[in-house]
Short mmCIF file of all heavy atoms in Angstrom, two decimals:
data_model
loop_
_atom_site.label_atom_id
_atom_site.label_comp_id
_atom_site.label_asym_id
_atom_site.label_seq_id
_atom_site.Cartn_x
_atom_site.Cartn_y
_atom_site.Cartn_z
N ARG A 17 0.90 -1.27 0.04
CA ARG A 17 -0.03 0.00 -0.11
C ARG A 17 0.85 1.26 0.10
O ARG A 17 0.55 2.30 -0.61
CB ARG A 17 -0.94 -0.07 1.17
CG ARG A 17 -1.99 -1.07 1.10
CD ARG A 17 -2.99 -1.10 2.39
NE ARG A 17 -3.75 0.15 2.40
CZ ARG A 17 -4.41 0.45 3.47
NH1 ARG A 17 -4.32 -0.25 4.57
NH2 ARG A 17 -5.10 1.61 3.44
N ILE A 18 2.06 1.17 0.61
CA ILE A 18 2.91 2.41 0.65
C ILE A 18 3.48 2.53 -0.72
O ILE A 18 3.55 3.67 -1.33
CB ILE A 18 3.97 2.18 1.77
CG1 ILE A 18 3.38 2.41 3.09
CG2 ILE A 18 5.12 3.19 1.48
CD1 ILE A 18 4.39 2.06 4.19
N LEU A 19 3.92 1.47 -1.39
CA LEU A 19 4.42 1.45 -2.75
C LEU A 19 3.42 1.92 -3.73
O LEU A 19 3.77 2.59 -4.79
CB LEU A 19 4.96 0.08 -3.16
CG LEU A 19 6.11 -0.38 -2.43
CD1 LEU A 19 6.58 -1.81 -2.92
CD2 LEU A 19 7.43 0.58 -2.59
N ALA A 20 2.15 1.79 -3.49
CA ALA A 20 1.01 2.17 -4.36
C ALA A 20 0.51 3.60 -4.10
O ALA A 20 -0.33 4.09 -4.62
CB ALA A 20 -0.19 1.23 -4.22
N ALA A 21 1.23 4.17 -3.15
CA ALA A 21 0.99 5.54 -2.67
C ALA A 21 -0.38 5.68 -2.03
O ALA A 21 -1.08 6.75 -2.09
CB ALA A 21 1.15 6.64 -3.84
N LEU A 22 -0.82 4.61 -1.39
CA LEU A 22 -2.15 4.63 -0.76
C LEU A 22 -1.89 4.85 0.73
O LEU A 22 -2.86 5.13 1.52
CB LEU A 22 -2.85 3.30 -0.99
CG LEU A 22 -3.17 2.91 -2.35
CD1 LEU A 22 -3.81 1.69 -2.45
CD2 LEU A 22 -4.22 4.06 -2.94
N LEU A 23 -0.70 4.65 1.33
CA LEU A 23 -0.31 4.92 2.71
C LEU A 23 0.89 5.77 2.68
O LEU A 23 1.82 5.72 1.88
CB LEU A 23 -0.01 3.67 3.44
CG LEU A 23 -1.19 2.91 4.10
CD1 LEU A 23 -0.67 1.62 4.69
CD2 LEU A 23 -2.01 3.77 5.13
N ARG A 24 0.87 6.69 3.64
CA ARG A 24 2.18 7.43 3.88
C ARG A 24 3.20 6.79 4.90
O ARG A 24 2.70 6.27 5.86
CB ARG A 24 1.84 8.89 4.41
CG ARG A 24 0.84 9.70 3.41
CD ARG A 24 0.57 10.90 4.18
NE ARG A 24 1.71 11.90 4.32
CZ ARG A 24 2.05 12.76 3.46
NH1 ARG A 24 1.32 12.86 2.24
NH2 ARG A 24 3.13 13.58 3.53
N PRO A 25 4.38 6.86 4.65
CA PRO A 25 5.35 6.23 5.55
C PRO A 25 5.53 7.31 6.71
O PRO A 25 5.35 8.49 6.40
CB PRO A 25 6.68 6.11 4.79
CG PRO A 25 6.56 7.09 3.64
CD PRO A 25 5.09 7.25 3.32
N HIS A 26 5.96 6.78 7.82
CA HIS A 26 6.23 7.73 8.90
C HIS A 26 7.58 8.17 9.05
O HIS A 26 8.01 9.12 9.62
CB HIS A 26 5.74 7.10 10.33
CG HIS A 26 4.26 7.07 10.35
ND1 HIS A 26 3.57 5.95 10.88
CD2 HIS A 26 3.39 8.07 10.25
CE1 HIS A 26 2.25 6.22 10.83
NE2 HIS A 26 2.12 7.43 10.52
N ALA A 27 8.50 7.35 8.39
CA ALA A 27 9.88 7.60 8.40
C ALA A 27 10.57 6.88 7.25
O ALA A 27 9.97 5.88 6.64
CB ALA A 27 10.62 7.18 9.64
N GLY A 28 11.59 7.48 6.82
CA GLY A 28 12.46 6.84 5.72
C GLY A 28 12.08 7.39 4.31
O GLY A 28 11.23 8.27 4.25
N ASP A 29 12.80 6.88 3.28
CA ASP A 29 12.53 7.36 1.86
C ASP A 29 11.88 6.28 1.00
O ASP A 29 12.35 5.02 1.22
CB ASP A 29 13.84 7.78 1.38
CG ASP A 29 14.43 8.99 2.07
OD1 ASP A 29 13.60 9.93 2.24
OD2 ASP A 29 15.68 9.02 2.33
N VAL A 30 11.10 6.44 0.19
CA VAL A 30 10.41 5.50 -0.73
C VAL A 30 10.53 6.10 -2.09
O VAL A 30 9.99 7.22 -2.40
CB VAL A 30 8.99 5.19 -0.40
CG1 VAL A 30 8.31 4.26 -1.43
CG2 VAL A 30 8.84 4.75 1.05
N LEU A 31 11.16 5.52 -3.02
CA LEU A 31 11.32 5.86 -4.42
C LEU A 31 10.88 4.71 -5.23
O LEU A 31 11.36 3.62 -5.30
CB LEU A 31 12.82 6.31 -4.75
CG LEU A 31 13.29 7.48 -4.09
CD1 LEU A 31 14.07 7.10 -2.83
CD2 LEU A 31 14.31 8.30 -5.09
N VAL A 32 9.94 5.09 -6.17
CA VAL A 32 9.39 4.15 -7.23
C VAL A 32 9.54 4.79 -8.59
O VAL A 32 9.08 5.91 -8.87
CB VAL A 32 7.89 3.84 -6.90
CG1 VAL A 32 7.30 2.91 -7.89
CG2 VAL A 32 7.73 3.20 -5.58
N LEU A 33 10.28 4.08 -9.45
CA LEU A 33 10.58 4.64 -10.80
C LEU A 33 11.25 6.04 -10.58
O LEU A 33 11.03 6.92 -11.45
CB LEU A 33 9.38 4.68 -11.57
CG LEU A 33 8.65 3.25 -11.88
CD1 LEU A 33 7.51 3.47 -12.70
CD2 LEU A 33 9.68 2.34 -12.65
N GLY A 34 12.03 6.11 -9.60
CA GLY A 34 12.82 7.30 -9.49
C GLY A 34 12.11 8.44 -8.76
O GLY A 34 12.72 9.52 -8.56
N GLU A 35 10.81 8.35 -8.52
CA GLU A 35 9.94 9.24 -7.92
C GLU A 35 9.77 9.14 -6.52
O GLU A 35 9.51 8.05 -6.00
CB GLU A 35 8.56 9.42 -8.54
CG GLU A 35 8.60 9.60 -10.15
CD GLU A 35 9.02 10.99 -10.53
OE1 GLU A 35 9.15 11.84 -9.62
OE2 GLU A 35 9.10 11.23 -11.75
N PRO A 36 10.04 10.25 -5.69
CA PRO A 36 9.84 10.03 -4.16
C PRO A 36 8.39 10.01 -3.73
O PRO A 36 7.56 10.91 -4.36
CB PRO A 36 10.58 11.32 -3.68
CG PRO A 36 10.50 12.39 -4.73
CD PRO A 36 10.49 11.56 -6.02
N LEU A 37 7.93 9.05 -2.96
CA LEU A 37 6.57 8.97 -2.51
C LEU A 37 6.51 9.41 -0.98
O LEU A 37 7.49 9.12 -0.37
CB LEU A 37 6.09 7.51 -2.72
CG LEU A 37 6.03 6.93 -4.07
CD1 LEU A 37 5.54 5.58 -4.03
CD2 LEU A 37 5.24 7.77 -5.17
N PRO A 38 5.42 9.93 -0.80
CA PRO A 38 4.17 10.29 -1.56
C PRO A 38 4.31 11.66 -2.29
O PRO A 38 3.29 12.00 -2.95
CB PRO A 38 3.13 10.39 -0.41
CG PRO A 38 3.69 10.87 0.77
CD PRO A 38 5.16 10.34 0.76
N ARG A 39 5.28 12.32 -2.12
CA ARG A 39 5.32 13.70 -2.70
C ARG A 39 5.02 13.73 -4.20
O ARG A 39 4.48 14.66 -4.68
CB ARG A 39 6.68 14.36 -2.42
CG ARG A 39 6.89 15.88 -2.89
CD ARG A 39 8.07 16.52 -2.27
NE ARG A 39 9.32 15.89 -2.48
CZ ARG A 39 10.14 15.94 -3.60
NH1 ARG A 39 9.58 16.80 -4.53
NH2 ARG A 39 11.08 15.17 -3.74
N ARG A 40 5.54 12.80 -4.91
CA ARG A 40 5.48 12.64 -6.39
C ARG A 40 4.63 11.56 -6.72
O ARG A 40 4.77 11.06 -7.80
CB ARG A 40 6.72 12.66 -6.99
CG ARG A 40 7.79 13.84 -6.88
CD ARG A 40 7.53 14.88 -7.88
NE ARG A 40 7.85 14.34 -9.18
CZ ARG A 40 7.64 14.97 -10.37
NH1 ARG A 40 7.03 16.16 -10.33
NH2 ARG A 40 7.95 14.40 -11.55
N ALA A 41 3.53 11.30 -5.97
CA ALA A 41 2.65 10.18 -6.25
C ALA A 41 1.96 10.35 -7.63
O ALA A 41 1.74 9.44 -8.37
CB ALA A 41 1.69 9.94 -5.20
N PHE A 42 1.59 11.51 -7.90
CA PHE A 42 0.87 11.89 -9.12
C PHE A 42 1.74 11.38 -10.35
O PHE A 42 1.14 11.12 -11.30
CB PHE A 42 0.52 13.38 -9.31
CG PHE A 42 1.73 14.20 -9.32
CD1 PHE A 42 2.32 14.57 -10.56
CD2 PHE A 42 2.37 14.73 -8.15
CE1 PHE A 42 3.25 15.42 -10.69
CE2 PHE A 42 3.45 15.49 -8.33
CZ PHE A 42 3.92 15.91 -9.53
N ALA A 43 3.14 11.42 -10.22
CA ALA A 43 3.94 11.18 -11.40
C ALA A 43 4.19 9.63 -11.58
O ALA A 43 4.55 9.26 -12.72
CB ALA A 43 5.18 11.84 -11.24
N VAL A 44 3.67 8.81 -10.55
CA VAL A 44 4.01 7.43 -10.76
C VAL A 44 2.80 6.52 -10.72
O VAL A 44 2.92 5.48 -11.24
CB VAL A 44 4.93 7.03 -9.56
CG1 VAL A 44 4.25 6.92 -8.29
CG2 VAL A 44 5.70 5.71 -9.81
N ARG A 45 1.64 7.13 -10.18
CA ARG A 45 0.32 6.19 -10.09
C ARG A 45 -0.02 5.61 -11.41
O ARG A 45 -0.42 4.42 -11.49
CB ARG A 45 -0.67 6.96 -9.55
CG ARG A 45 -0.74 7.04 -7.98
CD ARG A 45 -1.99 7.36 -7.50
NE ARG A 45 -2.07 7.59 -5.98
CZ ARG A 45 -1.99 8.71 -5.22
NH1 ARG A 45 -2.19 9.86 -5.89
NH2 ARG A 45 -2.07 8.67 -3.93
N GLY A 46 0.08 6.42 -12.60
CA GLY A 46 -0.22 5.83 -13.84
C GLY A 46 0.66 4.75 -14.41
O GLY A 46 0.41 4.07 -15.35
N ARG A 47 1.81 4.52 -13.67
CA ARG A 47 2.72 3.56 -14.21
C ARG A 47 2.82 2.27 -13.32
O ARG A 47 3.62 1.44 -13.35
CB ARG A 47 4.14 4.12 -14.27
CG ARG A 47 4.11 5.16 -15.35
CD ARG A 47 5.62 5.79 -15.52
NE ARG A 47 5.97 6.74 -14.34
CZ ARG A 47 7.24 7.27 -14.22
NH1 ARG A 47 8.18 6.74 -15.02
NH2 ARG A 47 7.53 7.95 -13.17
N LEU A 48 1.87 2.21 -12.30
CA LEU A 48 1.73 1.17 -11.35
C LEU A 48 0.54 0.32 -11.65
O LEU A 48 -0.59 0.92 -12.09
CB LEU A 48 1.55 1.73 -9.90
CG LEU A 48 2.80 2.48 -9.36
CD1 LEU A 48 2.53 2.97 -7.96
CD2 LEU A 48 4.06 1.64 -9.31
N GLY A 49 0.63 -0.93 -11.46
CA GLY A 49 -0.53 -1.75 -11.50
C GLY A 49 -0.65 -2.56 -10.18
O GLY A 49 0.16 -3.06 -9.74
#
């Protein structure tokens, strides 16, 4: 759920396809299934 940008992490960094989540979730959601 964190990788899908449906939950926010409380600590640490999450990058999916080079985009930091949740700040850039809008840039990555369309590339996730």
Side-chain angles (χ1 to χ4, degrees):
R17 292 178 68 194
I18 289 173
L19 293 175
L22 298 175
L23 274 180
R24 299 175 68 91
H26 286 132
D29 298 314
V30 180
L31 291 94
V32 176
L33 299 174
E35 302 287 356
L37 300 182
R39 182 166 58 84
R40 294 271 300 171
F42 67 90
V44 76
R45 279 199 177 109
R47 295 183 284 170
L48 298 176

